């Protein structure tokens, strides 16, 4: 018995069998995969692992129109607003003024973290994008969901 691959050997009914077989094998037009939804991260205590001059200090940040507000766990808070007229420095970073008059250079990194640098006095603030995912407290199952 020889195998011949000529056009006249194809039977009209073969297309009806071959197409479902090819689709079952994953050949052909595939439907797009369903989008996976990622539930929001649920922090235990609502504080991020921020830093002030490279020392850890928990904070919460909020984007406000034309600026940023940071509330620190020690009870302090500060609002930073865009500097009118200056806008950006030579590197393209935003310039912000705090309510005490200090000028801060805001850098937004690719992963979403923010640093504020006061070049007049060298102070530096680091604010991560995400809440930390720490081990649960005693008696808890966990608090971060992805």
């Amino acid at each position: 018995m020889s195998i011949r691959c000529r056009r006249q050997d194809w039977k009209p009914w073969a297309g009806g069998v071959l197409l479902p077989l090819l689709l079952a094998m994953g050949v052909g037009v595939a439907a797009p995969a369903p989008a996976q939804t990622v539930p929001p991260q649920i922090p235990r205590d609502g504080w991020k692992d921020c830093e002030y001059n490279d020392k850890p200090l928990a904070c919460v940040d909020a984007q406000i129109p034309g600026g940023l507000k940071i509330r620190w766990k020690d009870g302090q808070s500060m609002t930073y607003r865009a500097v009118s007229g200056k806008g950006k420095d030579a590197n393209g970073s935003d310039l912000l003024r705090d309510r005490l008059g200090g000028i801060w250079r805001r850098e937004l990194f690719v992963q979403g973290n923010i640093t504020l640098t006061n070049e007049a006095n060298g102070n530096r603030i680091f604010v991560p994008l995400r809440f930390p995912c720490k081990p649960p407290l005693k008696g808890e199952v966990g608090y971060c969901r992805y």
Side-chain angles (χ1 to χ4, degrees):
M1 175 177 213
S2 66
I3 299 175
R4 294 184 292 176
C5 294
R6 293 193 305 198
R7 187 175 176 138
Q8 70 248 29
D9 291 339
W10 286 95
K11 307 289 184 223
W13 55 268
V17 173
L18 189 57
L19 182 60
L21 180 62
L22 289 174
L23 290 176
M25 291 174 27
V27 178
V29 179
Q36 293 182 356
T37 58
V38 178
Q41 188 182 35
I42 309 298
R44 177 177 57 228
D45 57 8
W47 295 98
K48 292 183 176 182
D49 288 340
C50 301
E51 294 177 4
Y52 189 86
N53 290 336
D54 298 322
K55 292 185 173 91
L57 182 59
C59 80
V60 176
D61 65 315
Q63 300 295 321
I64 59 174
L68 171 73
K69 184 172 184 172
I70 299 176
R71 184 170 50 103
W72 298 96
K73 195 163 188 175
D74 66 0
Q76 300 294 318
S77 69
M78 185 61 74
T79 301
Y80 305 87
R81 299 217 180 260
V83 177
S84 61
K86 290 189 178 182
K88 296 185 182 280
D89 68 1
N91 297 328
S93 299
D94 293 329
L95 294 177
L96 303 175
R97 183 186 313 271
D98 64 25
R99 62 183 155 94
L100 302 174
I103 302 292
W104 297 78
R105 180 173 39 92
R106 175 172 52 183
E107 294 177 82
L108 176 63
F109 295 97
V110 175
Q111 68 274 34
N113 300 334
I114 296 172
T115 61
L116 298 175
T117 306
N118 186 324
E119 294 186 6
N121 60 21
N123 288 337
R124 184 172 181 270
I125 298 170
F126 170 76
V127 180
L129 171 67
R130 302 190 190 288
F131 289 98
C133 200
K134 297 177 183 173
L137 294 175
K138 185 177 180 181
E140 292 183 345
V141 176
Y143 69 97
C144 286
R145 287 184 270 162
Y146 296 99

